[in-house]
Amino acid sequence: MPTSRLAAVVFDFDGVIADSEPIHFTAFRDVLASIDIALSEADYYEHYLGYDDDGAFRTVSGDRGRSLSDAEIARLIARKGEVLLDQLSGPHVLFPGARDCLERFAAVVPVAIASGARREEIELVLRANDLTKFVAVIVGAGETPRSKPAPDPYVRATQLLTPLARHNVSIAPSACVAVEDSRWGLASARAAGLRTVALTTSYERSLLGDADVVVDSLDELTLSMADALVV
């Protein structure tokens, strides 16, 4: 793609690369149950999927009329992390087409991950599936002042990608494509100035209409499609 305008691709992680949203829900549900807070699957997907761990625990507890201290939140996050890491080490976490998609784009432009998942979780899955070599930059939970839907994770990703740009040219957000599965992530990417592709892995197509393009699988996301989105 010698005349490509595409500068970089930034992937969300949970629900995009890793089929891990059901695992996250189960971990959230079980940890919250230990402090007598109920969380249904429908409630999680409707209200809380787009938050990082800190934001999710604070928002869920606040919505239930509970005020938890920073120490209590930290303990819940740690416990969820223990539950999650054990399950993420399994061999069937990746979505079909994830490896081929990362390899396809990494051969042409720098690839990043901007996620509400913890870096430890992201790196575990990448290492277990020999994907580390395709990902140049990771922005995980707690590594920016604000999490999604604020633009901070995508702003940080484009900043970190700039030294890797072709011909040492500064990367403009409008020359980057974000790949997301939720309205929170799409709002974050748009606010940072990126073009957006939505996957229907977590929500129906009708709920992802703010994306520039909606696809059903990573196999559909081609270099020419991404290149056509950037300006």
Side-chain angles (χ1 to χ4, degrees), residues 180-181 186 196-201 203-217 220-221 225 229:
E180 277 284 354
D181 70 314
L186 291 171
T196 55
V197 173
L199 278 172
T200 60
T201 48
Y203 295 97
E204 296 178 1
R205 183 176 289 262
S206 62
L207 299 176
L208 301 168
D210 289 339
D212 294 307
V213 173
V214 181
V215 298
D216 295 320
S217 75
E220 296 178 41
L221 179 55
M225 177 188 292
L229 293 177

Side-chain angles (χ1 to χ4, degrees), residues 139-216:
V139 179
E143 297 180 11
T144 55
R146 299 173 297 176
S147 60
K148 301 175 186 179
D152 302 34
Y154 280 102
V155 171
R156 182 59 177 156
T158 55
Q159 290 171 342
L160 293 173
L161 283 166
T162 290
L164 306 175
R166 292 170 297 180
H167 312 303
N168 296 315
V169 176
S170 178
I171 286 183
S174 60
C176 301
V177 170
V179 187
E180 277 284 354
D181 70 314
S182 75
R183 62 183 186 271
W184 295 276
L186 291 171
S188 174
R190 285 197 307 273
L194 284 72
R195 306 312 298 270
T196 55
V197 173
L199 278 172
T200 60
T201 48
S202 299
Y203 295 97
E204 296 178 1
R205 183 176 289 262
S206 62
L207 299 176
L208 301 168
D210 289 339
D212 294 307
V213 173
V214 181
V215 298
D216 295 320

Side-chain angles (χ1 to χ4, degrees), residues 45-159:
Y45 279 91
E46 177 67 22
H47 298 293
Y48 307 114
L49 177 146
Y51 291 97
D52 62 11
D53 288 355
D54 183 89
F57 281 122
R58 290 185 189 279
T59 306
V60 173
S61 59
D63 289 348
R64 305 301 192 273
R66 297 273 293 273
S67 179
L68 302 179
S69 68
D70 289 347
E72 289 173 311
I73 294 291
R75 284 195 291 272
L76 293 175
I77 292 172
R79 178 56 188 147
K80 176 181 176 275
E82 293 170 0
V83 173
L84 201 67
L85 287 175
D86 182 56
Q87 297 184 53
L88 286 176
S89 60
H92 305 299
V93 173
L94 293 186
F95 275 110
R99 180 185 181 84
D100 288 344
C101 187
L102 288 175
E103 184 173 9
R104 183 161 65 243
F105 282 101
V108 179
V109 294
V111 167
I113 288 173
S115 174
R118 296 188 303 156
R119 177 178 287 268
E120 182 182 11
E121 298 163 5
I122 297 168
E123 291 180 340
L124 171 65
V125 174
L126 295 181
R127 286 195 306 270
N129 292 278
D130 193 28
L131 298 177
T132 304
K133 58 192 173 188
F134 301 129
V135 179
V137 165
I138 296 172
V139 179
E143 297 180 11
T144 55
R146 299 173 297 176
S147 60
K148 301 175 186 179
D152 302 34
Y154 280 102
V155 171
R156 182 59 177 156
T158 55
Q159 290 171 342

